[in-house]
Amino acid sequence: MAESAQARSEQPRAARTGASRPKVLTSYDPRTGEVLGEYAVMGAGELTRTVRSARTAQQWWAAIGFDGRKRWLLDWKRSIARGTRDLVELISSETGKPRMDAAIEVTLAVEQLDWVARHAERMLGRRVAARFRRDRNGSVARLPLGTVGVLGPWHNPVLTPMNSIASAMAGGNSVVFKPSELTPGVGAWIADTWSHLAPNQPVLQVVTGDSTTAAALTRARLDKIAYAGSPAGARELSVLCAQSGTPLTVEPGGRGAMVVQVDARLDTAAAAAVYGAMANSGQHPAGVHIAYVADSVYDPFLELVADQAQRLRPGADKRASYGPMLVEAQIDLVRKQVRDALSRGGHALVGGLDSIREPYIEPIVLTDVPDTSSAVTGEAVGPVLIIDRVADMDEAAERINAAETPLPVAVFTRDVRSVPDFAGRLRTELVTVNSTPVYGIHGPGRTRDPLTPELFTRAQTISDKHPTDQVTLGTFERHPQRLRVARALFRLRHRV
């Protein structure tokens, strides 16, 4: 459910057809088919008990304050860091991504947890606010919501959910974390590190299962649910949360566009385009789907991209550039999109239909693909990069804005001062300069964003009456002399 078309292909047939719900969820290594573990498919009763215990733990967690939570979170961070090798191996086994990519993900997740723990009080603690009016002073603090649900994706099973988990916990909330049904072992590992640290305080708990478990979580009376993933999955989740009245915060993912201007460093742009499209077999929640390249540098850019893409090799060994596709339905989608692009006049610069050798897909670079092709309009999946030429930046902006859903845009230029004007013409919330949005601050669940912790809190304002007010408010006792002074000040201030 929470991952839309992906989830429908991932969940057992019984869940899709309405038959009896399976009791066990099996985790596999997508490279070998080896069974990695079995996990419970939790239902409404188990979720209710989990949320109830989380609410009890949350009262203790909120009461210990920012300093107390900081100490616990930093201890938890050290516990995760000490187990990095095991966690990297588990991520690699459940997702098939190379160990180096898994190591980068764990490193960024640990850094994010450290940053949130150390800066939570500065971001959320009570602070004196500017005077709301001439007669009042006040202060504002961010208080916890209570118990938060986090739905994690499979493509970045640690980094993406950690941003929400760390932010929610630092703000005084307890968390119920449901990992993807493709990576339950990673989710269980994360929760286990907390339970070993604080066995009697289930501030963080994991629930495992398929889409039926995710749907039940929306009805479990949580104070908020956080989701980062595909726009289609976000729409499905929005409907379920609306039905239960559960607040939802969504950061939809999706690979976006690249713009290569005439003055760009072409070698840098080409390397970024290939990585943004091919990393993790094109299964990142952000990256590059299509590159719009200025006409005068189009041909040399193609040569650089082709040279780099042809060097990449998917596989299960340590030297592999990236791993397999995890979802069979997405392999079929790549095949349909590539076939559609070629049938409509597109050309394969690198690879083609023969590149699809399940469960792996070798790099595919397409050119001259019409905007009506499903390869352009459909969901960006797989290690596929589309490159198209544009006459100027006006055309690039027009074609980017024609997309149904606003997605990240990476602009490559040496004239960085021109980017704000260009970005102001785009329907997007994220523009990166000379880099592609894949990890960290450039992707869904972006790290070190001071606004993220606020999503899991509520504002509380305390205001007090200023002692030098001229008019007594909130009472029927009014002094004529003060009214005259106030009237004179009003006329002077507003030139009446």
Side-chain angles (χ1 to χ4, degrees):
M1 180 285 311
E3 295 183 26
S4 187
Q6 293 178 16
R8 285 192 293 273
S9 66
E10 293 161 14
Q11 59 185 299
R13 183 177 182 277
R16 300 198 301 270
T17 61
S20 60
R21 184 168 59 87
K23 300 299 183 182
V24 175
L25 175 68
T26 304
S27 171
Y28 299 93
D29 186 326
R31 300 165 298 187
T32 64
E34 175 189 359
V35 174
L36 299 174
E38 294 185 337
Y39 303 85
V41 177
M42 297 184 178
E46 294 146 309
L47 294 181
T48 297
R49 290 189 290 272
T50 299
V51 172
R52 185 183 300 124
S53 64
R55 290 198 180 282
T56 300
Q58 190 271 332
Q59 297 176 15
W60 163 78
W61 185 242
I64 65 175
F66 287 106
D67 286 340
R69 292 195 292 271
K70 176 181 176 180
R71 289 192 293 271
W72 278 97
L73 290 175
L74 290 179
D75 284 346
W76 184 38
K77 175 208 70 171
R78 285 186 282 270
S79 179
I80 295 174
R82 285 192 293 268
T84 294
R85 179 174 298 180
D86 292 340
L87 182 55
V88 166
E89 183 63 31
L90 183 55
I91 293 172
S92 183
S93 296
E94 284 200 319
T95 67
K97 65 170 61 177
R99 290 178 179 82
M100 180 60 71
D101 286 357
I104 293 173
E105 181 182 346
V106 172
T107 298
L108 291 173
V110 169
E111 291 290 343
Q112 172 64 4
L113 177 54
D114 179 87
W115 183 82
V116 170
R118 295 183 187 278
H119 294 87
E121 185 169 13
R122 177 179 60 81
M123 294 183 287
L124 304 175
R126 186 167 295 280
R127 57 186 181 274
V128 176
R131 287 186 181 177
F132 308 117
R133 294 174 42 166
R134 292 177 62 85
D135 61 334
R136 290 186 182 274
N137 291 324
S139 64
V140 178
R142 308 292 307 192
L143 304 183
L145 295 175
T147 299
V148 171
V150 175
L151 297 179
W154 56 264
H155 35 61
N156 282 339
V158 176
L159 176 59
T160 299
M162 179 57 77
N163 194 30
S164 295
I165 292 170
S167 296
M169 291 177 67
N173 301 281
S174 56
V175 173
V176 176
F177 172 38
K178 185 205 172 292
S180 164
E181 59 204 77
L182 294 178
T183 56
V186 173
W189 192 97
I190 293 172
D192 284 347
T193 57
W194 175 264
S195 63
H196 291 157
L197 192 68
N200 298 319
Q201 298 294 349
V203 176
L204 171 65
Q205 297 178 79
V206 69
V207 293
T208 55
D210 56 20
S211 63
T212 61
T213 305
L217 198 61
T218 66
R219 301 186 294 269
R221 299 185 180 276
L222 294 166
D223 295 291
K224 176 170 269 194
I225 288 179
Y227 169 78
S230 70
R235 287 192 292 269
E236 292 185 16
L237 196 60
S238 296
V239 172
L240 291 172
C241 286
Q243 293 172 350
S244 63
T246 304
L248 173 67
T249 180
V250 170
E251 192 165 357
R255 282 159 49 196
M258 170 186 281
V259 175
V260 182
Q261 298 191 8
V262 294
D263 63 341
R265 292 180 173 86
L266 295 185
D267 54 345
T268 301
V274 171
Y275 184 78
M278 313 294 176
N280 197 21
S281 197
Q283 299 171 117
H284 269 307
V288 177
H289 178 212
I290 184 167
Y292 296 107
V293 185
D295 183 72
S296 61
V297 296
Y298 181 77
D299 290 333
F301 182 78
L302 286 186
E303 292 179 6
L304 291 168
V305 167
D307 178 64
Q308 295 202 28
Q310 288 169 347
R311 299 179 190 176
L312 304 180
R313 290 291 179 269
D317 59 277
K318 293 182 179 180
R319 295 184 179 181
S321 305
Y322 55 82
M325 300 288 291
L326 261 70
V327 182
E328 183 178 352
Q330 289 199 338
I331 299 176
D332 294 335
L333 182 57
V334 171
R335 183 180 289 108
K336 291 178 182 178
Q337 289 182 351
V338 172
R339 182 181 292 117
D340 183 73
L342 297 177
S343 68
R344 291 174 181 266
H347 298 91
L349 178 68
V350 176
L353 289 171
D354 291 341
S355 302
I356 303 173
R357 302 168 182 173
E358 302 180 25
Y360 299 98
I361 301 179
E362 294 182 351
I364 300 173
V365 181
L366 304 174
T367 63
D368 304 317
V369 180
D371 290 343
T372 55
S373 171
S374 62
V376 174
T377 61
E379 181 183 1
V381 296
V384 179
L385 173 63
I386 299 171
I387 305 177
D388 207 349
R389 72 173 77 221
V390 291
D392 50 36
M393 293 305 101
D394 289 337
E395 182 184 351
E398 180 180 349
R399 295 179 68 176
I400 290 171
N401 288 336
E404 180 179 349
T405 303
L407 293 173
V409 177
V411 180
F412 280 76
T413 177
R414 299 183 195 222
D415 184 13
V416 296
R417 291 177 297 180
S418 68
V419 174
D421 288 339
F422 178 70
R425 296 151 57 191
L426 303 176
R427 289 192 316 117
T428 181
E429 296 181 359
L430 177 63
V431 175
T432 62
V433 182
N434 296 324
S435 66
T436 54
V438 177
Y439 280 114
I441 62 172
H442 302 319
R446 45 185 170 264
T447 60
R448 302 199 177 192
D449 184 345
L451 298 179
T452 300
E454 291 189 2
L455 297 173
F456 304 101
T457 60
R458 57 184 176 87
Q460 183 188 73
T461 300
I462 298 178
S463 65
D464 58 279
K465 182 172 173 292
H466 196 273
T468 60
D469 66 328
Q470 295 296 328
V471 180
T472 302
L473 300 179
T475 176
F476 286 108
E477 297 180 6
R478 308 293 169 83
H479 301 282
Q481 178 62 29
R482 289 188 173 183
L483 287 173
R484 286 192 292 271
V485 172
R487 187 178 297 113
L489 291 174
F490 177 84
R491 290 174 176 173
L492 180 63
R493 176 176 174 81
H494 301 288
R495 300 180 181 179
V496 177

